[in-house]
């Protein structure tokens, strides 16, 4: 049997080769990204990722490792997405919009596509307080909630890691919040009509501000007061009515790309 030090040396040699190859791979990923950017071809391509995942296991001499290779490759593909999104969009991406406009859902989808961390301001507040948003409104009132919201946005916007930022529908009511979102970020307004919002949230009871009057008219009235603020804060606007999560996310990425042109 070879001695342990010798075997370890062999592993170190493998790692050296692997790192060099991975570095070369990342370089190619960035070359392809530049090419697609120049030609206006969509950058993030899930079908191609699936194809790669299937192909790589066929390169194995020992099929017994196929599960491990798949796991490793999922991480490599995620890292590739991250390296591209970090290069293309080196800032926070903030999602704003009325309740039910899709901020949380689209935030999760973008986070997957761009391999960026997703922070939901309301979730952070709920975790820290150990209470739901409904309970915070009930026990402490809206003014206190707005204070917590402003503090959380201020803190999160200082993150060095680039993140997808989802905030509650009332974030634009305080201009300081908007300043914080815009400091190192692009603000995207997910626009939706009162009817569409109603159809998305009328069965839910997690929105304290609509608790006593979940009607299209009430949504219309609140939206009317906020629309100008969303519009003024937005760098990009995406209408979400009748669109799927995939369509909205694709449109956001396209609009972010257009800003680079
Ligand atoms: C609010 C929206 C909610 C939550 C709170 C207040 C608002 O978030 O922050 O109930 O003023 O519009 P969602 O927009 O995610 O529902």
């Amino acid at each position: 049997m070879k001695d342990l030090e010798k075997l370890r040396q062999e592993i170190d040699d493998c790692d050296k080769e692997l790192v060099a190859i991975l570095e070369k791979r990342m370089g190619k990923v960035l070359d392809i990204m530049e090419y697609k950017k120049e030609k206006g071809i969509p950058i993030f391509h899930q079908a191609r990722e699936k194809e790669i995942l299937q192909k790589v296991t066929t390169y194995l001499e020992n099929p017994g490792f196929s599960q491990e290779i798949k796991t490793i490759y999922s991480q490599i593909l995620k890292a590739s997405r991250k390296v591209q999104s970090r290069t293309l969009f080196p800032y926070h991406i903030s999602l704003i919009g009325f309740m039910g406009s899709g901020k949380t859902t689209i935030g999760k989808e973008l986070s997957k596509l761009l391999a960026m961390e997703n922070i939901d301001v309301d979730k952070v507040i709920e975790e820290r307080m150990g209470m739901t948003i409904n309970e915070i409104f009930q026990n402490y009132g809206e003014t206190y909630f707005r204070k917590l919201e402003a503090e959380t946005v201020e803190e999160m916007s200082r993150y060095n890691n680039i993140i997808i930022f989802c905030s509650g529908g009332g974030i634009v009511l305080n201009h300081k919040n908007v300043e914080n979102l815009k400091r190192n970020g692009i603000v995207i307004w997910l626009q939706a009509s009162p009817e569409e919002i109603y159809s998305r949230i009328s069965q839910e009871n997690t929105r304290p501000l609509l608790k006593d009057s979940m009607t299209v008219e009430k949504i219309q009235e609140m939206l009317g007061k906020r629309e100008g603020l969303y519009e003024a804060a937005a760098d990009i606007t995406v209408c979400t009515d009748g669109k799927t999560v995939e369509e909205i996310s694709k449109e956001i990425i396209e609009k972010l790309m257009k800003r680079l042109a």
Side-chain angles (χ1 to χ4, degrees):
M1 192 181 130
K2 296 180 185 176
D3 79 330
L4 184 60
E5 277 320 301
K6 188 148 184 292
L7 287 168
R8 281 185 171 157
Q9 185 54 54
E10 284 171 18
I11 292 264
D12 288 348
D13 292 344
C14 282
D15 286 341
K16 234 182 249 169
E17 278 180 49
L18 266 176
V19 169
I21 295 272
L22 286 173
E23 208 175 342
K24 186 170 160 194
R25 194 184 194 285
M26 292 290 183
K28 297 287 166 213
V29 165
L30 290 178
D31 288 347
I32 291 179
M33 183 195 83
E34 285 302 335
Y35 179 88
K36 286 180 171 173
K37 193 171 130 190
E38 212 183 290
K39 306 272 180 203
I41 301 171
I43 303 246
F44 300 91
H45 196 200
Q46 283 176 306
R48 168 75 180 142
E49 285 200 7
K50 279 205 187 107
E51 190 186 306
I52 294 174
L53 268 180
Q54 266 158 10
K55 256 195 218 169
V56 289
T57 50
T58 68
Y59 305 152
L60 276 169
E61 281 176 21
N62 179 352
F65 294 142
S66 101
Q67 204 46 55
E68 288 70 26
I69 287 296
K70 274 196 185 143
T71 307
I72 291 166
Y73 259 86
S74 302
Q75 288 304 316
I76 290 178
L77 293 171
K78 188 172 172 191
S80 297
R81 265 179 269 143
K82 197 177 181 105
V83 110
Q84 294 178 90
S85 62
R86 202 179 57 201
T87 311
L88 292 167
F89 319 127
Y91 36 70
H92 302 317
I93 297 175
S94 296
L95 301 176
I96 61 165
F98 200 75
M99 294 171 256
S101 58
K103 301 176 297 282
T104 307
T105 314
I106 300 298
K108 283 187 190 150
E109 179 70 9
L110 283 179
S111 157
K112 211 163 58 185
L113 284 174
L114 303 176
M116 280 164 80
E117 194 189 345
N118 178 20
I119 291 184
D120 189 318
V121 174
D122 280 355
K123 288 270 164 322
V124 174
I125 296 174
E126 285 185 335
E127 272 161 31
R128 287 184 177 172
M129 294 292 287
M131 277 180 217
T132 63
I133 299 294
N134 259 333
E135 287 165 344
I136 299 172
F137 269 71
Q138 260 164 30
N139 295 332
Y140 299 101
E142 180 172 351
T143 310
Y144 186 70
F145 170 77
R146 296 293 175 207
K147 184 174 161 284
L148 292 178
E149 186 178 51
E151 284 166 5
T152 314
V153 170
E154 150 91 40
E155 180 192 334
M156 302 292 155
S157 65
R158 291 188 187 279
Y159 267 32
N160 283 331
N161 279 357
I162 296 308
I163 53 169
I164 317 253
F165 217 128
C166 297
S167 39
I171 211 83
V172 289
L173 299 173
N174 178 346
H175 74 93
K176 268 244 169 298
N177 291 339
V178 176
E179 274 167 35
N180 282 327
L181 294 182
K182 284 173 104 57
R183 192 174 37 215
N184 180 27
I186 295 285
V187 176
I188 299 173
W189 174 25
L190 300 180
Q191 199 184 31
S193 66
E195 293 75 17
E196 177 92 15
I197 291 169
Y198 180 79
S199 78
R200 290 183 194 161
I201 65 172
S202 57
Q203 299 308 314
E204 296 174 12
N205 60 358
T206 51
R207 269 88 178 183
L209 293 175
L210 290 169
K211 196 164 52 70
D212 301 323
S213 157
M214 177 67 87
T215 60
V216 175
E217 290 69 33
K218 174 74 183 171
I219 294 171
Q220 202 154 22
E221 181 202 319
M222 282 183 75
L223 193 56
K225 289 191 190 136
R226 291 181 180 181
E227 225 153 18
L229 296 170
Y230 291 132
E231 194 174 2
D235 298 300
I236 289 175
T237 300
V238 174
C239 175
T240 65
D241 280 14
K243 292 181 189 159
T244 64
V245 173
E246 289 73 25
E247 285 166 344
I248 297 165
S249 308
K250 191 166 159 255
E251 193 174 326
I252 290 177
I253 294 176
E254 275 167 15
K255 289 192 167 165
L256 283 168
M257 292 297 298
K258 274 216 185 96
R259 291 174 59 91
L260 305 173

